[in-house]
Structure formats: C-alpha cells, structure tokens
Amino acid sequence: MNAIERGATEPGPANQQSAELGRDLIRVLHVEDDPNCREAIADQLSDHGFVVRSFADAFSLADGLAVSSEADIILLDWDLPNISGIELLVELRQCGVNLPVVFLTGYGFTAQENLAFETGAVDFIDKARGVEILARRLRRLLKAPKSAAAPPSASLVVCGKLVLNPNVSRAYWNDIDVSLTLVEYNIVHLLASNAGRWLTYRAIYDRVHYEGFIGGSGEGGYRTNVRGIIKRIRKKFLQCDETFAEIDNFVGLGYRWANAKAAG
C-alpha cells in the first residue's frame, strides 16, 4: 500500500493553535497494518500539528525512506505482516536509519516493553492512552536535550522467534525473556549465530570456560557437562513454548540450532 501523507496544513482549530504557539512541525513516519487505526491516528496527530506519513508494512516504509528520509521520528506497531516491529527496528539500525523509534501498541506486557527499550526504542506507548497523550510524549521526546553519544551497541541476533541482545546478555523467545544464565546465554548465542551448522561438544564447552579447559570426569567428561547445560536450556525454552524444538543433537558430534535463517 502506498504511503498516505497527512499534513498539518489541513484545517482544524488545533492546527491554528499550534501555529499561534509557534510550535515546530514534527514529521512522523507511522507503520500500522490496521487501515482504520492507521487513518485515525494520522488524522488525530495531524490535528495536533504533526505531519504524518503512514505505511501499512515494513516494505512500504522502506519505499518511503528511499524516496525521502525527511522525518523526525518513527512510530511502529508491534505486530506487522511479514516482519514484526521489533525486527523492523533491528533492520532499520543495520541499514543506518537512526531516527528515534517509538512503539505504539496494544500490548502492555513488561517483557515486550523491556525488549523494545533494550533494542533501542525511545518509548513504548499503549494505544489505549489515546492520541492526546501520544502527541505530548512525542513532543517531549524531541524537545529533550540530546545526551552525549553513547558507545555503539552490538547488533541484535534475530533467528526466527529468537532474539538475542548481546548488550545485556538476554534471550527472548516469542518476546518472552527466557531467563538464561550468562553461561546458557553464551551457548545459545554461539548456536544461533551458527544456525544450521553442527558445533562439536568441545567447541560448545570452550564457550563455557575457555579453549582447552579440562572438566568433568575422564577425558571426555566435558560432553556430560555440555549435555547437562543443553538440557537446562531446552527446559527453559519449553517453559516459554511447549513446541520448542530448535536445538538438534548429533550423537557423538554435538548440537546445532535448527533454524538456518539467522541474522546478526
């Protein structure tokens, strides 16, 4: 669907009031797959003095950015067709799009809110709060003084339903924090970063300690340790999703993350 552009020049008392107050126009790129919601938010934000360009999905947004990158902020829904809002944020950053991103969603779960902030969003707003609150928070975000540049963040690893955040060593499955320990996280990161490739017991064990570390009982004792750790990892993922089956075992060789579609 083509972008729908709503300008703040449309008639309305709120627009006149904005001009009288000398407010700078804020240009918003809004991605929302529900056409009714998309149009309503664009209309209401326009009445508050915003210039809104609306898109139905990530592909339309990409086309819009290719035509013109003039914008102040990106407003994303969480659930989008083909690619989720959180995955879209990751791809935007990887493509060098550094505009502030705000999630406007019907979800109010803490895990999703935490994931949004850890991924680099500047705000997470419940749609139920209404456009009046949304407009205030967008203005406040853009008027806030810019802090000193933070050190560059490591890119997220997205592999199907799995999202890994190396900056905080957290793993999410279907937006749920899997609550892995640091050792468990490091192993999942190793497997997912090499999705589709078999990794030996030794390679996995070296990630637990360091290359050449000897542990367990006997020369091959590290295998038992690796099996025990993988068992705990699987159990935690199964608590989030009883259909989880991404970690394959090749007896005598090692393990792999079955989903071969990985993104770093």
Side-chain angles (χ1 to χ4, degrees), residues 5 10 33 42 55 66 68 89 132 134 159 176 226 248 255:
E5 184 162 354
E10 295 179 359
D33 64 320
F55 305 90
S68 173
L89 173 53
E132 181 74 29
L134 171 63
C159 192
I176 301 173
V226 169
D248 289 338
Y255 295 89

Side-chain angles (χ1 to χ4, degrees), residues 4-258:
I4 304 172
E5 184 162 354
R6 305 278 181 185
T9 55
E10 295 179 359
N15 291 332
Q16 296 175 5
Q17 183 179 13
S18 295
E20 292 171 0
L21 293 175
R23 292 179 177 176
D24 294 330
L25 295 178
I26 294 176
R27 297 161 297 182
V28 178
L29 304 180
H30 177 217
V31 188
E32 164 65 62
D33 64 320
D34 184 307
N36 295 326
C37 182
R38 185 170 65 245
E39 184 171 0
I41 290 173
D43 286 341
Q44 293 176 56
L45 280 178
S46 295
D47 288 341
H48 282 81
F50 291 76
V51 175
V52 182
R53 296 182 66 202
S54 299
F55 305 90
D57 52 38
F59 302 114
S60 298
L61 174 65
D63 291 340
L65 286 170
V67 173
S68 173
S69 59
E70 291 187 359
D72 298 299
I73 199 162
I74 297 175
L75 195 59
L76 295 182
D77 187 25
W78 190 273
D79 286 330
L80 294 171
N82 301 314
I83 179 173
S84 69
I86 203 74
E87 291 175 302
L88 176 55
L89 173 53
V90 173
E91 292 201 1
L92 288 171
R93 294 297 183 252
Q94 291 176 341
C95 293
V97 178
N98 295 315
L99 291 170
V101 170
V102 171
F103 278 97
L104 179 65
T105 174
Y107 290 107
F109 301 119
T110 302
Q112 288 170 319
E113 185 174 4
N114 288 338
L115 179 57
F117 284 121
E118 290 173 2
T119 309
V122 295
D123 207 350
F124 186 93
I125 304 172
D126 189 339
K127 289 178 180 178
R129 299 297 303 278
V131 173
E132 181 74 29
I133 296 297
L134 171 63
R136 289 182 183 179
R137 285 168 69 163
L138 292 180
R139 288 191 183 281
R140 181 173 295 179
L141 283 169
L142 292 175
K143 287 182 178 180
K146 300 294 186 294
S147 58
S153 298
S155 299
L156 298 187
V157 175
V158 181
C159 192
K161 298 178 182 179
L162 177 70
V163 177
L164 298 175
N165 189 338
N167 301 294
V168 291
S169 299
R170 306 306 301 167
Y172 299 88
W173 181 262
N174 271 345
D175 304 327
I176 301 173
D177 190 332
V178 188
S179 298
L180 300 178
T181 65
L182 182 58
V183 167
E184 292 165 349
Y185 170 85
N186 287 336
I187 289 178
V188 171
H189 188 282
L190 176 65
L191 292 172
S193 298
N194 295 276
R197 293 175 50 196
W198 291 103
L199 296 174
T200 65
Y201 287 94
R202 184 71 249 183
I204 295 171
Y205 195 64
D206 286 345
R207 179 59 64 94
V208 176
H209 295 284
Y210 56 83
E211 187 173 350
F213 181 87
I214 298 176
S217 176
E219 183 178 347
Y222 63 88
R223 295 173 183 267
T224 301
N225 288 346
V226 169
R227 291 191 192 100
I229 296 171
I230 294 292
K231 182 177 180 180
R232 292 196 298 271
I233 290 172
R234 280 175 169 156
K235 183 177 180 180
K236 289 184 176 181
F237 275 97
L238 286 168
Q239 288 174 341
C240 299
D241 178 3
E242 62 183 12
T243 66
F244 175 80
E246 299 301 301
I247 301 178
D248 289 338
N249 175 232
F250 193 115
V251 178
L253 175 62
Y255 295 89
R256 72 173 179 181
W257 193 268

